[in-house]
Amino acid sequence: MLAQELLKKIQDVVGPENCLRDEADRFCYAFDSSLLSQINNWVPDLVVRVKTTEQVATILKLANEYRVPVVPRGAGTGQCCGSVAWRGGITLDLSGMNQILSFDLENLQVVVQPGIVHAELNKALAPHGFFFPPDPGSTKMCTLGGMVAFNSSGQRSVKYGTTKQYILGLEVVLPTGEVITTGGAKSRALKSVAGYDLTGLFVGSEGTLGVVTRIRLKVLPIPEKRGLVVAFFDELEASGKAVVQIFRGRLLPSAIEIMDRTAMKAAGMYKPDLNLPDAEAMLLFEVDGSPVDVTYQAQKIAEICRQFTQRVEWTDDPKRLGELWAARGVVGAAAGRVKEGATRVYIGEDICVPVVMVPQALKKIQELSVKYNIPIVTYGHIGDGNLHAAPVINTYDQEEIEKVKKLGDEIHRMALAMEGTTTGEHGVGLTRAQYMEEELGLSLDVMRRIKKLLDPNNILNPGKMALEGE
Amino acid sequence: MLAQELLKKIQDVVGPENCLRDEADRFCYAFDSSLLSQINNWVPDLVVRVKTTEQVATILKLANEYRVPVVPRGAGTGQCCGSVAWRGGITLDLSGMNQILSFDLENLQVVVQPGIVHAELNKALAPHGFFFPPDPGSTKMCTLGGMVAFNSSGQRSVKYGTTKQYILGLEVVLPTGEVITTGGAKSRALKSVAGYDLTGLFVGSEGTLGVVTRIRLKVLPIPEKRGLVVAFFDELEASGKAVVQIFRGRLLPSAIEIMDRTAMKAAGMYKPDLNLPDAEAMLLFEVDGSPVDVTYQAQKIAEICRQFTQRVEWTDDPKRLGELWAARGVVGAAAGRVKEGATRVYIGEDICVPVVMVPQALKKIQELSVKYNIPIVTYGHIGDGNLHAAPVINTYDQEEIEKVKKLGDEIHRMALAMEGTTTGEHGVGLTRAQYMEEELGLSLDVMRRIKKLLDPNNILNPGKMALEGE
């Protein structure tokens, strides 16, 4: 419980109507998508809805004075328990700061508040012919602030990279309440090497180093056209080899997605009219660019795939493109269908391994599924080795929960053994904190020292990312 | 002078043959390309040529013990006095650590030592069909370690970005001698969000936070073809408008270069057979991709340019391409030709302004040239607003040196007034340190705190980047 005195002071800052004290209200903030948040009830003591940078600064100063944890939160679509107030304290709801502050499109940039939803930003940019390339699956819900906090990416990261490379500057409230602007105090430059890259340090810091209150981001011209090549493989290995040959063929698709047998089955159950054939794996290559280039790339990709399988199709017809892409689109939602009354849970869901190891990783995940008797639907971004394994369990069954924890642990350890990472794009948060000593080695110590430097009282999103060790 | 005892210890680490004590040897290390280094004689007390990470670690530990400055150095091609030991001490010559340690091309990455020369790396990658995209003008000399230290880029950054986005991980010796590996202790993953982005913090830190001893970097497939569109404009404004229209036309050239009247004149004097016409500005658009796409893009760019000028040419013939590109290629070397017996100096040479402000900045630079009676040749990467202004002076004339310092200062202040940056890609070093308080505002304080955290005795490249203020 917060001190009454502190509560009063916060109410003076944001107004009582923006301080949610009712348990039912606060309960909504106890979860993200992670299994960990779902099996705990980490309800914040207070939810504060903020509207301005000044409010955020004042609240952080108060939190420092009273030594109360503050957890920044956007839409709560995260998968690693990053925005959950597991030690109580204040959840700072930034979703109300959702404006586009400036369109500077002649200069390829816009300035936004952190609460703007990704799809809304791209909707506003589209009429001008521009887009913000990183494309998380949660586009219709997730906020730019969350994307910055977790350095989000998605299917198109193989060509377009991650959020980080589009962030030109940030306004950040430090844990101690000072407000800084990274990337140049007043800059609208597209490129600068003045000073350390603090922008990059804050991007991906999961709300542990500061609260982002303004984002200056780079946008790109929307490609004129997109096309899709779909190939079905009888052997997982062949799919991995095809991807390598595509790169060697001097091609850079905008997305290379894989769905293994389990994912194709789930998608088929969810949407039978997809008519997916029997196969060990399905690859989807999206290409984009000028109309002639889309045809050229797609034909060349199809040709390379035919070295490994005869079942290859390509299209640039928007209708057919939508149908084929739908198979990949539904798989997240479809995963739950593979077992009656069960739910897809997020644990071990974001490993990234060297590209050539993807087929082996998929096989191993299928073996783990047998070992634990838990269905796993696996799909992901094979172009950069990022696999999303979706275990499906009965979340009311304590035994299944214990089993899936072990399963998730084995997936994470497999990724590390394969010289990969436990998290390609979802973040560390609480769920992957336990692997950081092994994964990061001595560099974790440097991270801990930076955390302590900027947040001496450890009030901002404490206990996340393994930052508290000695 | 270094203590004899310290010298003896360093000789034990690297061997006496790798400790350069002779003044003539040390003198070679007193300069980079900056005017500032050329008008001072900052000779290091000792040059140490290192071969291994362990040697670097031991030397940094000794330097800490004896409180001696250490300045890391690659090829010394920098332009901001970043690798010059202005306070004496030890210059650490890393150019001998120049090996490619692993080709992991199926996984789109290689691991190199910092001393490898950029062109050598791309030469080794080319037979495999891959390249490392950032393309500094000094490609034939500059080292990857230098590119990491200064986050280098070049003509193609408008499409391919800067060095930072290709660096997957680094081995770094901290100023206190500990060795860390960023981007995952043992990772070969192409993508990861595990922990803070320390890689990004070290990239661009100009050798003030650590000495990079190993670089894991991402490579891309070489585009199949390149093409070039050249357009001559009678008005500077029109060239700026053309660039904006290209972006709005949904095109993303791999380079958009500008040469103003002064640069065209210099190139013409250097290489009369270029036959450049009379014009206020010349734009060069390079496009790359599949053969059909190169034609498509080039034609579309030419069409857009024709809205602003009739003098447009495009080619994908390698011979003609070489000729046209040569005009841009020679301008750096040609600048000195515009005044008998004079030399091009590097001061105020790397500003970056909002793209739409480029014509105005070019005009203002021409006015400053008149005001100070110093010829200035200006060219640059208009696609991201980065302008290289090259004043040409008699470096033996003290009065000219004083004048050009004032001129450089005015250029830097103009860039800041235009909401730009004093340095788009060359770095802060010593030459631009004086602008950092204004340019970075309060975030400079955070940088200073990080510097102090990691380098408590301020031994690594001290006094650079304005990191010593309170």
Side-chain angles (χ1 to χ4, degrees), chain B residues 17-78:
Chain B
E17 70 283 12
N18 289 311
C19 290
L20 308 185
R21 302 170 61 195
D22 191 79
E23 180 154 5
D25 287 337
R26 291 183 288 121
F27 189 74
C28 304
Y29 291 81
F31 310 100
D32 66 356
S33 295
S34 65
L35 174 65
L36 191 60
S37 74
Q38 284 160 13
I39 58 177
N40 287 281
N41 271 329
W42 287 319
V43 181
D45 296 314
L46 181 70
V47 174
V48 181
R49 295 193 296 214
V50 286
K51 278 287 187 185
T52 69
T53 304
E54 293 66 33
Q55 290 176 349
V56 175
T58 310
I59 289 165
L60 289 186
K61 277 179 198 149
L62 286 169
N64 256 294
E65 194 183 327
Y66 288 84
R67 303 287 196 271
V68 173
V70 176
V71 179
R73 185 175 170 105
T77 56

Side-chain angles (χ1 to χ4, degrees), chain B residues 19 26 30 62 68 76 86 92 106 122 134 144 191 219 249 331 372 394 429 445:
Chain B
C19 290
R26 291 183 288 121
L62 286 169
V68 173
W86 75 309
L92 211 59
E106 297 194 328
N122 273 336
L144 260 289
K191 196 168 86 171
V219 296
V331 68
Y372 287 97
N394 179 345
D445 178 57

Side-chain angles (χ1 to χ4, degrees), chain A residues 110-131:
Chain A
V110 294
V111 178
V112 302
Q113 290 186 312
I116 189 167
V117 169
H118 178 256
E120 294 298 319
L121 172 63
N122 274 336
K123 204 189 285 176
L125 289 169
H128 305 277
F130 292 94
F131 78 128

Side-chain angles (χ1 to χ4, degrees), chain B residues 94-324:
Chain B
L94 292 136
S95 61
M97 293 178 71
N98 60 0
Q99 301 301 303
I100 297 178
L101 300 175
S102 92
F103 273 99
D104 189 10
L105 295 175
E106 297 194 328
N107 199 24
L108 294 182
Q109 57 195 270
V110 294
V111 179
V112 303
Q113 289 186 313
I116 189 168
V117 169
H118 178 256
E120 294 298 317
L121 171 63
N122 273 336
K123 205 189 284 177
L125 289 168
H128 304 278
F130 291 95
F131 78 128
F132 175 68
D135 60 333
S138 51
T139 170
K140 288 181 186 163
M141 294 172 285
C142 74
T143 65
L144 260 289
M147 290 183 70
V148 166
F150 291 90
N151 187 23
S152 302
S153 50
Q155 298 175 351
R156 296 193 179 116
S157 61
V158 60
K159 176 168 178 178
Y160 290 103
T162 67
T163 294
K164 190 179 302 274
Q165 74 187 61
Y166 298 91
I167 308 301
L168 299 169
L170 296 171
E171 180 183 77
V172 182
V173 183
L174 298 181
T176 39
E178 299 93 338
V179 181
I180 65 169
T181 300
T182 69
K186 290 172 190 164
S187 181
R188 288 165 57 215
L190 269 176
K191 196 168 86 171
S192 175
V193 289
Y196 295 158
D197 181 17
L198 294 187
T199 305
L201 182 62
F202 286 107
V203 177
S205 65
E206 303 191 359
T208 66
L209 286 182
V211 178
V212 170
T213 48
R214 190 179 290 211
I215 305 163
R216 180 163 70 95
L217 51 87
K218 183 175 174 174
V219 296
L220 290 185
I222 302 175
E224 284 188 80
K225 199 168 181 180
R226 295 187 199 285
L228 195 67
V229 181
V230 181
F232 300 94
F233 296 83
D234 292 328
E235 289 190 344
L236 278 171
E237 277 78 5
S239 67
K241 284 179 189 158
V243 171
V244 171
Q245 281 309 109
I246 300 295
F247 292 139
R248 290 204 179 265
R250 296 191 171 188
L251 294 155
L252 193 60
S254 49
I256 312 181
E257 296 292 299
I258 188 165
M259 291 168 63
D260 76 357
R261 176 178 286 281
T262 63
M264 289 170 65
K265 186 179 156 202
M269 288 172 76
Y270 188 77
K271 217 168 176 258
D273 59 339
L274 289 171
N275 279 321
L276 297 178
D278 185 69
E280 280 304 316
M282 168 180 177
L283 288 185
L284 298 99
F285 299 86
E286 189 200 58
V287 291
D288 66 7
S290 64
V292 287
D293 194 35
V294 164
T295 304
Y296 177 91
Q297 290 184 70
Q299 285 178 341
K300 210 165 160 191
I301 289 171
E303 199 177 291
I304 292 172
C305 285
R306 286 200 189 94
Q307 296 170 18
F308 303 94
T309 176
Q310 285 316 301
R311 291 187 284 167
V312 181
E313 177 186 353
W314 88 263
T315 185
D316 58 1
D317 170 53
K319 185 161 168 287
R320 183 70 185 136
L321 210 144
E323 283 167 7
L324 288 172

Side-chain angles (χ1 to χ4, degrees), chain B residues 216-453:
Chain B
R216 180 163 70 95
L217 51 87
K218 183 175 174 174
V219 296
L220 290 185
I222 302 175
E224 284 188 80
K225 199 168 181 180
R226 295 187 199 285
L228 195 67
V229 181
V230 181
F232 300 94
F233 296 83
D234 292 328
E235 289 190 344
L236 278 171
E237 277 78 5
S239 67
K241 284 179 189 158
V243 171
V244 171
Q245 281 309 109
I246 300 295
F247 292 139
R248 290 204 179 265
R250 296 191 171 188
L251 294 155
L252 193 60
S254 49
I256 312 181
E257 296 292 299
I258 188 165
M259 291 168 63
D260 76 357
R261 176 178 286 281
T262 63
M264 289 170 65
K265 186 179 156 202
M269 288 172 76
Y270 188 77
K271 217 168 176 258
D273 59 339
L274 289 171
N275 279 321
L276 297 178
D278 185 69
E280 280 304 316
M282 168 180 177
L283 288 185
L284 298 99
F285 299 86
E286 189 200 58
V287 291
D288 66 7
S290 64
V292 287
D293 194 35
V294 164
T295 304
Y296 177 91
Q297 290 184 70
Q299 285 178 341
K300 210 165 160 191
I301 289 171
E303 199 177 291
I304 292 172
C305 285
R306 286 200 189 94
Q307 296 170 18
F308 303 94
T309 176
Q310 285 316 301
R311 291 187 284 167
V312 181
E313 177 186 353
W314 88 263
T315 185
D316 58 1
D317 170 53
K319 185 161 168 287
R320 183 70 185 136
L321 210 144
E323 283 167 7
L324 288 172
W325 209 225
R328 171 64 182 84
V330 301
V331 68
R337 293 293 175 100
V338 299
K339 191 177 162 188
E340 190 74 31
T343 310
R344 178 235 176 122
V345 293
Y346 286 85
I347 182 167
E349 88 293 349
D350 187 41
I351 62 166
C352 197
V353 297
V355 177
V356 281
M357 305 291 270
V358 167
Q360 199 178 318
L362 287 169
K363 277 197 176 170
K364 179 86 189 184
I365 291 169
Q366 290 178 3
E367 286 166 23
L368 290 172
S369 170
V370 173
K371 175 176 170 184
Y372 287 97
N373 190 28
I374 291 176
I376 307 179
V377 172
T378 311
Y379 57 97
H381 320 309
I382 186 172
D384 46 29
N386 193 192
L387 289 180
H388 299 318
V392 181
I393 65 163
N394 179 345
T395 51
Y396 297 98
D397 181 338
Q398 195 54 40
E399 206 176 306
E400 288 235 308
I401 287 176
E402 292 310 315
K403 273 203 305 184
V404 86
K405 281 186 190 169
K406 283 191 189 133
L407 167 65
D409 184 58
E410 284 213 47
I411 293 175
H412 284 137
R413 297 205 179 278
M414 172 192 76
L416 293 176
M418 286 181 174
E419 300 181 301
T421 172
T422 57
T423 179
E425 56 187 19
H426 291 174
V428 177
L430 271 188
T431 65
R432 281 174 276 268
Q434 61 188 302
Y435 306 105
M436 290 304 107
E437 295 215 356
E438 179 179 344
E439 179 160 355
L440 301 174
L442 291 174
S443 71
L444 179 58
D445 178 57
V446 175
M447 297 175 199
R448 288 170 172 168
R449 290 164 66 193
I450 291 173
K451 167 69 173 171
K452 197 159 191 176
L453 177 77

